[in-house]
Amino acid sequence: MKETVEELIQEAILELNEQMEEDRKVSYSEDLKLIGVNAALESISFVTLIAILEDLISDRLGKNIIIVNDRAFSQERSPFRSVGSLAEYVTGLLLETE
Amino acid sequence: MFIVITGASKGIGLALVKHYIEKDHTVIGCSRTKPDFEHERFCHYPADVTNYEEVQEFAFAVSKTHPVVDVLINNAGAASMNHFMLTDPRSAERLMRVNYLSAFACARGFIRLLRKSQHPRIINFTTVAVPLNLEGELAYGASKAAVESLTKVLAKELGSFRITVNAVGPAPTKTNLIANVPKHKLEKILEQQAIRCFAEFEDIVQVIDFYMDPKSDFITGQIIYLGGICR
């Protein structure tokens, strides 16, 4: 499942890049920082990425999940700190729906 | 266009359904009870829009058949008019859920589908009770003031998605919402309007049609009150 999620995040980043100025585009890597100081994405780009990812999960996996919720923000370490942690978190959400 | 209308079983909601079906659009109506209306381009989904999970399921169900939503009309609402001292706090809470949180939840639920539209629109309902600060309408007015805030902030936050967010604030309209409001109180409201008469359904539709128009891509974060409320 985690591999599938990583592939979907890669695809979401490609789609996000299509909407970004050349100097704002980002490359997929597990360490890519999504939020916080020195994040690769501006807040609106992060929101867009999450929206695209929710959409891809719905289309490809037929699962309706809300990625950003109170639980995500209540965790000691934010699941949005990097692409790798996002993949782990989303994988967990998807496994809970099975 | 593909239009989602909440609170579609009666009153203005059902009238909007019929109006947009007549104009050859496809409409999905949402309400707890099924409306007494059927059409090949109309589909009813039973959901309580104050229940976030049900709204999510509703949006997901719509996405299965219609991956693009052009317009979300957050029409579902309720009113309660009473002096502050005679208002049960639970009644105030209920109004906040029906009027504000339902619009919040529906906007959140349908963002994914709206994003894919060429001219995505969210249209909310407010009331002249907000700018007029009407006595006896604290709970109702406060919940609609929250809707106005939602409208303006969402307009900013969803601007990058090209989703416009606007609201219409009808003057008193002869629907169930004002059925129990004493006549003298309604007249007092009308006295504060530039044009002192009840709003008609067509007046409300005129504003919604304007917001929906593909040429209104640059109209967002706006509240239009009917009847001429000049603050």
Side-chain angles (χ1 to χ4, degrees):
Chain A
M1 178 63 86
K2 193 178 171 199
E3 276 179 19
T4 306
V5 171
E6 286 169 345
E7 284 170 15
L8 291 177
I9 294 175
Q10 282 190 48
E11 198 173 332
I13 287 176
L14 286 176
E15 192 177 327
L16 176 70
N17 279 336
E18 285 173 15
Q19 303 171 24
M20 305 242 278
E21 301 286 331
E22 201 58 43
D23 60 341
R24 298 277 183 195
K25 293 185 192 299
V26 291
S27 302
Y28 176 90
S29 89
E30 274 200 22
D31 300 327
L32 185 72
K33 202 170 174 189
L34 297 176
I35 60 170
V37 181
N38 298 324
L41 299 177
E42 291 180 345
S43 58
I44 190 62
S45 301
F46 170 71
V47 171
T48 308
L49 177 70
I50 294 299
I52 295 170
L53 185 56
E54 285 181 349
D55 215 12
L56 287 170
I57 289 167
S58 172
D59 287 350
R60 305 288 170 74
L61 308 178
K63 298 274 179 72
N64 185 29
I65 62 165
I66 299 295
I67 296 173
V68 180
N69 53 28
D70 285 348
R71 187 174 134 199
F73 285 110
S74 64
Q75 295 189 14
E76 201 170 313
R77 300 192 74 202
S78 169
F80 308 125
R81 63 188 182 279
S82 70
V83 161
S85 60
L86 175 65
E88 271 180 33
Y89 175 69
V90 171
T91 303
L93 287 179
L94 288 168
L95 289 174
E96 282 175 17
T97 65
E98 289 185 348
Chain B
M1 281 185 176
F2 186 85
I3 304 168
V4 171
I5 301 174
T6 67
S9 65
K10 58 189 178 185
I12 289 171
L14 181 57
L16 286 172
V17 168
K18 292 176 178 173
H19 171 77
Y20 289 115
I21 288 293
E22 269 178 29
K23 292 184 89 176
D24 290 334
H25 298 300
T26 301
V27 181
I28 285 202
C30 163
S31 53
R32 286 175 300 178
T33 55
K34 198 172 187 300
D36 187 19
F37 176 73
E38 288 184 1
H39 191 279
E40 60 184 8
R41 276 181 284 103
F42 173 67
C43 177
H44 175 259
Y45 188 94
D48 176 358
V49 287
T50 66
N51 182 316
Y52 184 51
E53 279 74 28
E54 284 191 29
V55 170
Q56 282 303 119
E57 286 167 15
F58 170 42
F60 191 58
V62 170
S63 73
K64 292 292 176 196
T65 51
H66 299 85
V68 178
V69 167
D70 299 296
V71 184
L72 166 65
I73 301 178
N74 285 314
N75 164 73
S80 171
M81 282 109 190
N82 234 333
H83 189 281
F84 162 68
M85 292 301 288
L86 300 175
T87 302
D88 187 323
R90 283 167 292 201
S91 173
E93 184 183 357
R94 183 182 68 85
L95 287 182
M96 198 57 93
R97 293 184 70 80
V98 176
N99 293 331
Y100 165 65
L101 286 172
S102 68
F104 184 107
C106 288
R108 182 72 180 83
F110 281 94
I111 283 296
R112 288 197 298 110
L113 308 184
L114 286 162
R115 273 182 63 238
K116 297 174 185 168
S117 169
Q118 291 297 307
H119 305 282
R121 310 279 188 250
I122 295 175
I123 299 166
N124 297 322
F125 271 78
T126 179
T127 166
V128 296
V130 176
L132 294 177
N133 295 306
L134 293 176
E135 290 169 56
E137 300 198 18
L138 173 57
Y140 179 57
S143 69
K144 289 298 191 181
V147 171
E148 293 195 6
S149 200
L150 173 85
T151 301
K152 292 171 186 176
V153 177
L154 267 192
K156 287 184 176 179
E157 294 195 355
L158 301 182
S160 65
F161 293 140
R162 300 170 297 100
I163 300 174
T164 70
V165 189
N166 295 289
V168 56
T173 312
K174 285 180 177 168
T175 66
N176 286 342
L177 277 185
I178 62 165
N180 298 320
V181 181
K183 196 179 167 197
H184 71 278
K185 287 195 173 176
L186 289 172
E187 282 169 357
K188 203 173 167 187
I189 298 171
L190 297 185
E191 280 171 14
Q192 298 181 72
Q193 296 175 192
I195 300 170
R196 296 173 184 178
C197 54
F198 285 96
E200 300 289 339
F201 171 70
E202 289 72 20
D203 300 316
I204 299 168
V205 163
Q206 175 66 21
V207 179
I208 297 176
D209 281 348
F210 168 65
Y211 287 147
M212 280 173 54
D213 191 324
K215 287 181 279 191
S216 295
D217 275 342
F218 215 42
I219 311 291
T220 192
Q222 303 305 304
I223 315 281
I224 294 182
Y225 300 110
L226 293 173
I229 302 298
C230 309
R231 287 185 286 178

